[in-house]
Amino acid sequence: MAELLRSLQDDQLVARFQRRCGLFPALEEGPRENSVGSAEGAARDPGAGHLPAANGNGQRRAGAPQAYIQKYIVKNYFYYYLFRFSAALGQEVFYITFLPFTQWNIDPYLSRRLIIIWVLVMYIGQVAKDILKWPRPSSPPVVILEKRMIAEYGMPSTHAMAATAISFTFLISTKDRYEYPFILGLMVAVVFSTLVCLSRLYTGMHTALDVLGGVLITALLIALTYPAWTLIDNLDSASPLLPVCVIVVPFFLCYLYPVSDYYSPTRADTTTVLAAGAGVTIGFWINHFFQLVSKPTESLPVIRNIPPLTTDMLVLGLTKFAVGIVLILLVRQFVQNLSLQVLYSWFRVVIRNKEARRRLEIEVPYKFVTYTSVGICAATFVPMLHRFLGLL
């Protein structure tokens, strides 16, 4: 078993997968890109240019991720574009479009389940990364295609966790609510999650063990939480104290996030996810408490036929989505600027000092306030605007 785990964590396994898919490192001449002197590099980016060191047994130990991005040659553009697209399905750009679209155009009940399960797996995955501190694959031999994620640790793959959670929560939640071939839904869920998982190997961001660990952790979380999913459906009719708990608990989870040896975006990303989930939950509670929902929610489960996609339905869905995204972006920009100004003034920080945003006492509150507002807006004010504009 130990030998199997070591082989799954081997960088060469990732490199071989990349070569099989037509991704090769380029032969470079002259000094490396991003190469700087050790002192200068440390000043620019703590941990930059340092590869994970080896322990006495020859195994890699956690170290600051490297900043070196190797040039590469693509010999199979089908796999290149397939896995780059698949990688985008596990990134923020997908979730900030798919989840609101589901909320406004498909089924709020389904969206609520997806968001809460997504928040749960993302928080556990991000915290596990900064507790385990397993390094990402080294370059060379691996070709790394994404620069932003280098500052994060590798185990488990939160892309794999999120893709698995979203696809199978969607499947489980719709099988008793809509009429469609279950085998077809299962195939879509498997293909979706598999493509995202393989994309993490192709982009050089994770070892096979990172990806498998993420999938197994998510499967365990779904199995453990499934009996409580009906509670999610009734959160909007919970106690008037729910908004207080939903704000206080996630905020302190963000504030008490594990301290890293150097700055990485994991704390900010985790705060964003938890705050958005808190905001959506509060938004659903507001809709129920103040009776803003136009019609009562039907008892569950409800079997529905999937309506045929028509041109009018497509235009209406895209219009609702565009209106909602514009309002969300306006709210996000306004609340973010306001919260930063208040925090900068409170802590007497120069406004143009972008590094100050990384400070714990500034980063967590401004991210939390901003994305809680975004979540409330998406769940409450966007549907109200839709109704006002006659889009419902």
Side-chain angles (χ1 to χ4, degrees):
M1 178 61 71
E3 185 64 29
L4 175 62
L5 294 178
R6 280 194 294 268
S7 65
L8 291 175
Q9 198 182 10
D10 188 4
D11 295 342
Q12 292 294 341
L13 179 61
V14 180
R16 287 196 298 270
F17 177 79
Q18 291 181 324
R19 308 301 180 263
R20 290 287 181 90
C21 295
L23 185 64
F24 294 84
L27 297 177
E28 299 185 33
E29 297 180 358
R32 287 181 172 183
E33 181 185 5
N34 296 340
S35 62
V36 292
S38 58
E40 182 182 359
R44 290 183 183 180
D45 183 10
H50 295 278
L51 295 177
N55 59 22
N57 297 325
Q59 297 175 334
R60 292 184 296 119
R61 60 178 172 83
Q66 66 272 24
Y68 169 54
I69 305 296
Q70 189 173 22
K71 295 180 180 179
Y72 57 90
I73 297 173
V74 177
K75 295 186 178 181
N76 189 319
Y77 277 95
F78 172 77
Y79 286 128
Y80 178 78
Y81 288 115
L82 173 65
F83 288 127
R84 292 308 294 264
F85 174 76
S86 301
L89 295 179
Q91 295 174 352
E92 292 83 355
V93 65
F94 172 74
Y95 298 111
I96 63 177
T97 53
F98 173 73
L99 293 175
F101 188 87
T102 304
Q103 160 74 24
W104 302 327
N105 292 292
I106 301 178
D107 193 341
Y109 147 84
L110 177 60
S111 173
R112 179 169 48 199
R113 279 193 176 183
L114 291 175
I115 290 172
I116 292 179
I117 298 301
W118 172 65
V119 169
L120 174 64
V121 299
M122 286 296 292
Y123 176 76
I124 292 177
Q126 294 285 62
V127 170
K129 282 184 178 182
D130 283 328
I131 292 177
L132 295 175
K133 298 185 177 181
W134 287 15
R136 292 183 182 269
S138 299
S139 176
V142 174
V143 177
I144 295 178
L145 301 184
E146 297 178 5
K147 294 183 179 181
R148 180 181 181 272
M149 300 297 179
I150 290 179
E152 298 182 8
Y153 292 108
M155 177 66 176
S157 168
T158 48
H159 280 70
M161 293 182 70
T164 305
I166 289 292
S167 56
F168 284 93
T169 300
F170 192 97
L171 174 67
I172 295 170
S173 299
T174 56
K175 67 181 180 66
D176 293 328
R177 189 164 173 84
Y178 295 94
E179 290 184 351
Y180 66 89
F182 177 77
I183 297 299
L184 177 62
L186 179 61
M187 290 175 59
V188 171
V190 171
V191 169
F192 178 87
S193 55
T194 300
L195 283 176
V196 174
C197 290
L198 291 178
S199 74
R200 306 317 292 158
L201 301 179
Y202 184 86
T203 55
M205 302 311 298
H206 287 285
T207 65
L209 186 60
D210 297 340
V211 173
L212 290 175
V215 171
L216 292 176
I217 292 172
T218 302
L220 178 62
L221 289 174
I222 290 178
L224 292 177
T225 60
Y226 178 72
W229 282 13
T230 53
L231 295 177
I232 297 175
D233 305 326
N234 298 313
L235 282 178
D236 55 3
S237 59
S239 165
L241 296 178
L242 175 69
V244 178
C245 298
V246 168
I247 290 177
V248 171
V249 174
F251 180 79
F252 277 101
L253 288 176
C254 297
Y255 213 85
L256 300 176
Y257 190 83
V259 178
S260 180
D261 299 331
Y262 57 91
Y263 180 82
S264 75
T266 51
R267 184 181 66 201
D269 292 343
T270 304
T271 303
T272 298
V273 171
L274 284 179
V280 168
T281 302
I282 293 172
F284 277 113
W285 180 87
I286 292 174
N287 293 341
H288 179 86
F289 191 81
F290 293 99
Q291 299 181 352
L292 300 180
V293 181
S294 58
K295 56 183 179 180
T297 304
E298 298 165 298
S299 59
L300 301 176
V302 178
I303 302 297
R304 301 176 179 176
N305 292 319
I306 299 178
L309 182 62
T310 62
T311 302
D312 291 342
M313 183 183 299
L314 180 61
V315 172
L316 177 62
L318 293 177
T319 303
K320 291 167 66 176
F321 178 73
V323 169
I325 288 296
V326 169
L327 181 58
I328 281 179
L329 291 177
L330 291 174
V331 169
R332 175 186 175 275
Q333 193 63 36
F334 172 76
V335 177
Q336 176 176 285
N337 291 340
L338 180 61
S339 59
L340 281 174
Q341 288 181 2
V342 171
L343 290 168
Y344 283 166
S345 175
W346 180 269
F347 292 104
R348 299 179 181 179
V349 176
V350 179
I351 294 179
R352 294 183 179 179
N353 183 4
K354 294 184 178 180
E355 290 296 319
R357 289 192 182 190
R358 296 182 172 185
R359 290 169 51 177
L360 173 65
E361 64 273 17
I362 293 179
E363 183 177 63
V364 170
Y366 105 79
K367 286 279 187 181
F368 195 87
V369 171
T370 298
Y371 287 96
T372 299
S373 302
V374 166
I376 294 174
C377 177
T380 299
F381 296 111
V382 170
M384 292 175 63
L385 179 59
H386 288 163
R387 190 176 299 109
F388 177 76
L389 296 176
L391 297 176
L392 292 180

